[in-house]
Amino acid sequence: MKKNLIYLVILISPIIFSGCLRTYFPVGMESGSLPMIFDSNDSTKQKSKFYNADLTITQGEYADESLQMLRGGYTVVDTREHINFNTTVYGYTGIYHVAGLSKYNGPKSVVGLGGEFRFNFNFKISSLKIGLGFAGGGAGEFGGYYYFRKKAAREGIIHSDQGLFYFTFSVFPVLAYEFSDSSTLSAQINVGTPGFLSPNIVFNSGDYIYWASWIPDKNSALGNRLIFGFMMNINKF
């Protein structure tokens, strides 16, 4: 009986301990979703083109870990009466700080390239737009953080389910209010990836767009995740 019990412990131990391993995902999954952008005037059929950039400061998946990431890209916006389209290609770079894994503690560099397509259906009540949108895309990520995930997973120290490439998908309700022909304030909450939950506030003022996203945390004034973004219309250039 004792011998059988020893065999049972040996058999189930790998299962028990593998379930305790940390799981690391691509850094791009840790940031927030890009917001849906509207042109202030939806009567024109001209597509607007924007340069965009945003800075993400977020806590990592585990204690004492963190991420600082800068993302830049190019977005085409097609705003119509009841449907809107955004197409973005982007690149990002940053530093993920690993902690609690003595062999791999410290900053890990990240570089990534990707693209995303967003669209939403909406109806308009006076100056207020109410709609529902969907976003999907994919990206590839490499650098020191990718090699950390690959090597540590091979050694059995962590789990790392995604490889070099990953895909994103989210759904979001959106509200947009037009103060004037050149000013719009909108709010949306993306549920999905990246970020799992991404509440965005977006202010469109002429050729410039400012947006922010914040996930609160009682232990940090910056919150769990903070993002500031900026976009500039380049149609005139």
Side-chain angles (χ1 to χ4, degrees):
M1 181 69 180
K2 185 176 180 181
K3 186 175 182 181
N4 290 337
L5 182 60
I6 293 173
Y7 285 149
L8 180 61
V9 172
I10 292 173
L11 286 173
I12 68 173
S13 292
I15 299 174
I16 294 173
F17 289 107
S18 65
C20 297
L21 293 179
R22 294 182 176 187
T23 299
Y24 284 86
F25 298 94
V27 157
M29 303 282 278
E30 302 286 344
S31 183
S33 296
L34 293 166
M36 187 77 198
I37 302 301
F38 300 90
D39 266 338
S40 298
N41 186 355
D42 60 14
S43 62
T44 178
K45 294 183 180 180
Q46 180 181 5
K47 295 180 180 179
S48 295
K49 304 173 182 64
F50 291 85
Y51 284 143
N52 52 276
D54 59 83
L55 174 66
T56 296
I57 302 172
T58 182
Q59 297 178 18
E61 286 295 324
Y62 303 98
D64 299 322
E65 295 191 340
S66 62
L67 166 68
Q68 297 82 41
M69 189 182 93
L70 180 65
R71 176 171 52 189
Y74 173 79
T75 298
V76 177
V77 175
D78 186 356
T79 302
R80 305 182 188 182
E81 187 175 1
H82 295 296
I83 189 168
N84 307 284
F85 302 95
N86 288 185
T87 304
T88 300
V89 291
Y90 60 85
Y92 60 88
T93 185
I95 298 293
Y96 189 96
H97 297 265
V98 176
L101 298 174
S102 57
K103 183 177 180 181
Y104 291 104
N105 286 350
K108 305 291 184 290
S109 63
V110 178
V111 178
L113 295 171
E116 185 176 82
F117 179 73
R118 302 179 294 283
F119 71 96
N120 84 297
F121 303 97
N122 65 79
F123 62 92
K124 195 171 182 179
I125 304 173
S126 185
S127 298
L128 179 67
K129 283 184 177 181
I130 303 173
L132 179 68
F134 302 88
E141 185 176 291
F142 49 96
Y145 179 75
Y146 166 72
Y147 290 109
F148 148 68
R149 291 193 298 117
K150 184 177 179 180
K151 187 175 181 181
R154 188 187 302 124
E155 295 173 355
I157 298 173
I158 66 167
H159 281 306
S160 181
D161 295 331
Q162 276 76 23
L164 184 64
F165 299 98
Y166 63 93
F167 297 95
T168 61
F169 176 81
S170 64
V171 58
F172 55 90
V174 60
L175 296 173
Y177 186 82
E178 294 180 2
F179 292 98
S180 67
D181 289 341
S182 61
S183 297
T184 301
L185 180 66
S186 62
Q188 67 187 63
I189 300 177
N190 288 65
V191 180
T193 57
F196 180 65
L197 190 65
S198 300
N200 293 322
I201 298 293
V202 185
F203 180 61
N204 185 331
S205 178
D207 293 330
Y208 302 98
I209 295 174
Y210 310 88
W211 66 277
S213 179
W214 183 61
I215 299 291
D217 187 320
K218 63 180 181 180
N219 297 317
S220 172
L222 292 177
N224 182 274
R225 183 175 70 234
L226 179 65
I227 306 175
F228 290 111
F230 172 77
M231 304 179 72
M232 181 177 66
N233 191 312
I234 58 171
N235 279 20
K236 296 179 181 179
F237 294 97

